[in-house]
Amino acid sequence: MTQPITSPESNRILRASIWVAIGALIAAALVCVVWVLIGDENGIVGKAFMTILLLAGFAGVAILEANLAPRRPAWFALTSMVSWVLILLIGAFMIWMPTTGYYGIGAERFFKFLVIVLIIQAAVLHVRLFIKAYERHQTTFTTIVAYVTIGLVVILAIMLVLPIMTEEFIDYRALYWRVVVALAILAAVGTALLPLVNALFAPKKPRPVAPAAYYSPAPVATQWPTFAYPQPAGALPADAAAAAPAAAGPAAAPAAQPAQATPPVAPGYQGYPPAPPAPPVPPQQ
């Protein structure tokens, strides 16, 4: 049921549904032509006008269904097209079947036709939503419930449409309506049972994990910039000067280095790095 419309089998189903619509349109037009030629003259102009409107409406619906078919499952595209074909045939039948002659029969049949359209399309929509619920969690029990419920819904729709079409000629007994009510109860139970089973036993979708909170790192103590003092020409670097007495031997005594006084800590700098030394003063000319 979930095959994409681009698969070869789905393309064949779509083409078949389009040809069914074309064949139904031609058949309905031929039947109406026959009724025009051999039927009575009672309201023939109005019936012909309503037939033209019905055929034009069906052609527009068929074009819309063909455009929506790539976005639907193949089985649903075919089912929807077949339902509209059935509506076309029912409409042609209600237009051309004999009238009893009382005033307002045309308007009454028009409203009956609208009710029939609502019943058939409601049944198709019910099947569509029910199949989506069934595909969520498929087991042997849910499969049986799904197919039985769909069968009950289809039979119920047929038993509701028939009296609306033929109540002018057929008198339906009370037993018929008791069966209709019983089917409606069973279909309602099946419709409610499948979502309930899904809510109890179907696997739940994982919830998205909330992103972790962002923590700013601890501030890093900054170091004060240092300055390099210029050295006079010919002076050795500090590393070379320290290594020279060691290379001369133990007899050579290292030159005494003047002790560097530790600069006093300025008030307000406790716990912070010392202040940088002042840059050297350039020599005056």
Side-chain angles (χ1 to χ4, degrees):
M1 291 185 178
T2 57
Q3 291 180 351
I5 198 67
T6 55
S7 63
E9 183 178 355
S10 300
N11 286 331
R12 288 195 296 269
I13 294 176
L14 178 59
R15 291 177 182 177
S17 65
I18 295 176
W19 280 110
V20 166
I22 294 174
L25 186 63
I26 296 174
L30 292 177
V31 170
C32 294
V33 168
V34 171
W35 275 105
V36 169
L37 295 176
I38 66 175
D40 55 1
E41 298 182 359
N42 186 13
I44 190 172
V45 176
K47 292 179 179 181
F49 180 73
M50 293 299 296
T51 303
I52 294 174
L53 290 181
L54 179 65
L55 297 178
F58 177 78
V61 169
I63 295 173
L64 180 62
E65 289 288 332
N67 292 330
L68 293 177
R71 288 174 265 176
R72 293 175 172 179
W75 70 268
F76 182 66
L78 179 60
T79 304
S80 182
M81 187 67 74
V82 170
S83 68
W84 285 110
V85 169
L86 182 62
I87 290 172
L88 172 65
L89 299 178
I90 293 174
F93 174 77
M94 296 186 68
I95 290 174
W96 290 100
M97 68 179 181
T99 57
T100 55
Y102 63 89
Y103 181 77
I105 185 64
E108 181 181 352
R109 287 186 179 181
F110 176 74
F111 285 109
K112 288 180 179 180
F113 177 72
L114 293 182
V115 173
I116 291 174
V117 172
L118 292 178
I119 291 174
I120 295 177
Q121 292 303 314
V124 173
L125 180 61
H126 177 277
V127 172
R128 170 63 173 149
L129 298 178
F130 199 70
I131 289 296
K132 291 184 67 174
Y134 162 69
E135 291 174 350
R136 181 184 172 190
H137 182 59
Q138 298 182 14
T139 61
T140 304
F141 176 73
T142 56
T143 302
I144 296 174
V145 171
Y147 284 102
V148 171
T149 304
I150 291 174
L152 291 175
V153 169
V154 172
I155 296 174
L156 178 63
I158 294 174
M159 295 187 69
L160 288 175
V161 168
L162 285 177
I164 299 176
M165 289 177 54
T166 60
E167 66 177 355
E168 299 178 12
F169 310 100
I170 300 175
D171 186 16
Y172 291 88
R173 298 181 180 272
L175 180 61
Y176 181 89
W177 296 109
R178 291 186 180 185
V179 174
V180 170
V181 173
L183 290 176
I185 293 174
L186 293 177
V189 171
T191 302
L193 190 60
L194 191 57
L196 182 61
V197 172
N198 288 340
L200 293 177
F201 303 106
K204 301 295 187 296
K205 295 182 179 180
R207 295 183 179 180
V209 181
Y214 176 75
Y215 297 97
S216 60
V220 181
T222 58
Q223 299 292 334
W224 293 101
T226 57
F227 300 93
Y229 290 93
Q231 296 181 357
L236 296 175
D239 296 339
Q257 297 292 335
Q260 295 181 358
T262 303
V265 179
Y269 280 88
Q270 290 81 1
Y272 292 91
V281 180
Q284 300 179 357
Q285 300 294 334

